[in-house]
Amino acid sequence: MVLTQLPRFHYLFFKNPPTSFNFFPKPRLPIIKPTSPTLFSTVSTTEPIPITDFSLPEEPKLEISLDKLFVPPETEVACDDPVLSTRILKGSNIVLSKYARDAQVIQAEFVKSSVRTEDCPSDGLPEFALVGRSNVGKSSLLNSLVRRKRLALTSKKPGKTQCINHFRINDSWYLVDLPGYGYASAPQELRTDWGKFTRDYFINRSMLVSVFLLIDASIPVKKIDLEYASWLGQNQIPMTLIFTKCDKRKKKKNGGKRPEENISDFQELICGFFQSVPPWIMTSSVTNQGRDEILLHMAQLRNYWLKH
């Protein structure tokens, strides 16, 4: 797999869009400017927050064929490589490359909220956007990545995020918290045209390295998630699938599927839309599963982006 278009990583190739696809509706409501920037906190530490080395409960082993791996640019893999399995990030299909360095989080701070792409920070730093269905665990994941509980405040009420929120990491790159989708009960008077300004951000934000699309692995596949992933692929927006809540293990006798089964179902459905397999990572904000893998993956994408 080779990434040929820069500065973005267009490693997704769209095949067949859903016949009734219309995820981003036409604008109907005026944009509402943010009124409370105090929902976020600034975190600064003097010591790096390291990539962890503590032991977590044993996770199920995933067998991944070579054609299902995400291979970063300038990285070679071979079927007969005896150490290939050690180069694949745990709980993912991502091969580690030489660009996976400087992944530690040393400093994290909230910078600003925006409702228009042109209002976002203009310092040219690379950024990674987190987006997902409301209540998928987006704020919890962001807090887990920086090892702080209140950098992005979580809410018991889905659909709370209504702006493009930028968090500067190590004064060198951004994590971007985008509005959740799929929450029909959001108050009408507070609902901005999230679809429109999120779409504009994806298409027009030149500093965007990759979108991290969060999918709840504890429940069956949702059509709205498939549609969102398909739209990103159709518009050549670089995407990594982040499967959340992988610590939740429902008993089969109660009719529930294990997270690995739901992940497999999602991948089987999405493969009909893409010619190449998107990178994906299993996570849990409860056990911190996937935290280190996400930071390493971001590091190798970011460092390649900066070099080219």
Side-chain angles (χ1 to χ4, degrees):
M1 188 181 307
V2 180
L3 312 189
T4 59
Q5 299 186 44
L6 294 172
R8 287 195 174 185
F9 297 92
H10 296 294
Y11 45 70
L12 301 181
F13 300 94
F14 194 79
K15 291 170 64 178
N16 301 309
T19 55
S20 61
F21 182 75
N22 185 27
F23 187 81
F24 291 104
K26 294 181 179 179
R28 291 176 295 179
L29 296 174
I31 291 178
I32 301 175
K33 294 184 178 180
T35 58
S36 179
T38 60
L39 289 176
F40 305 94
S41 60
T42 298
V43 176
S44 178
T45 59
T46 56
E47 295 296 327
I49 301 175
I51 299 297
T52 55
D53 57 4
F54 56 83
S55 298
L56 292 175
E58 186 66 20
E59 299 164 6
K61 302 296 183 182
L62 298 177
E63 297 294 334
I64 305 175
S65 60
L66 190 63
D67 63 318
K68 301 296 184 183
L69 291 176
F70 170 74
V71 183
E74 300 181 16
T75 303
E76 296 182 358
V77 297
C79 295
D80 57 353
D81 185 351
V83 297
L84 177 58
S85 61
T86 65
R87 296 169 57 198
I88 302 174
L89 291 176
K90 188 176 182 181
S92 82
N93 71 332
I94 300 169
V95 177
L96 204 61
S97 78
K98 64 182 180 181
Y99 291 100
R101 60 181 183 272
D102 301 324
Q104 298 91 342
V105 174
I106 299 173
Q107 183 181 23
E109 60 179 341
F110 169 69
V111 176
K112 67 179 301 187
S113 293
S114 310
V115 293
R116 299 186 306 170
T117 302
E118 52 266 39
D119 294 332
C120 293
S122 57
D123 49 18
L125 297 178
E127 54 195 49
F128 298 89
L130 305 180
V131 69
R133 194 167 48 82
S134 296
N135 205 30
V136 74
K138 184 159 48 71
S139 295
S140 296
L141 177 66
L142 194 156
N143 291 332
S144 174
L145 290 176
V146 301
R147 288 299 181 94
R148 291 295 182 272
K149 292 182 178 180
R150 295 176 66 84
L151 181 67
L153 296 186
T154 58
S155 173
K156 294 182 179 179
K157 188 173 185 180
K160 192 68 174 178
T161 302
Q162 300 170 33
C163 305
I164 302 172
N165 300 306
H166 275 76
F167 300 86
R168 188 163 51 226
I169 309 298
N170 301 345
D171 284 329
S172 60
W173 57 282
Y174 286 104
L175 280 173
V176 183
D177 186 11
L178 295 176
Y181 56 83
Y183 186 61
S185 299
Q188 184 75 18
E189 65 274 12
L190 295 178
R191 193 186 309 163
T192 65
D193 191 1
W194 298 341
K196 182 181 183 301
F197 76 71
T198 301
R199 177 194 62 201
D200 291 343
Y201 169 83
F202 288 148
I203 294 175
N204 298 316
R205 189 66 171 167
S206 61
M207 285 76 74
L208 179 61
V209 178
S210 180
V211 174
F212 281 54
L213 177 61
L214 277 59
I215 308 294
D216 188 343
S218 70
I219 59 175
V221 177
K222 295 288 187 181
K223 179 182 177 182
I224 194 171
D225 290 329
L226 291 172
E227 290 178 342
Y228 210 103
S230 299
W231 185 91
L232 291 172
Q234 183 183 28
N235 288 276
Q236 291 289 285
I237 309 299
M239 176 185 72
T240 296
L241 297 172
I242 302 297
F243 293 102
T244 66
K245 306 182 182 181
C246 290
D247 57 290
K248 295 186 177 181
R249 306 200 169 275
K250 298 178 180 179
K251 296 181 179 179
K252 273 198 169 184
K253 66 180 182 181
N254 295 332
K257 287 187 175 182
R258 294 180 295 110
E260 295 78 20
E261 294 174 296
N262 290 325
I263 291 172
S264 178
D265 290 345
F266 189 91
Q267 291 170 342
E268 287 183 12
L269 290 169
I270 203 174
C271 71
F273 303 137
F274 297 93
Q275 293 179 354
S276 56
V277 180
W280 55 265
I281 302 174
M282 297 174 64
T283 71
S284 166
S285 59
V286 175
T287 65
N288 281 325
Q289 174 187 354
R291 172 189 179 267
D292 298 349
E293 288 73 17
I294 289 177
L295 291 176
L296 284 167
H297 181 49
M298 286 181 172
Q300 63 184 10
L301 293 181
R302 182 176 70 249
N303 289 323
Y304 183 85
W305 185 91
L306 288 169
K307 180 181 177 180
H308 296 82

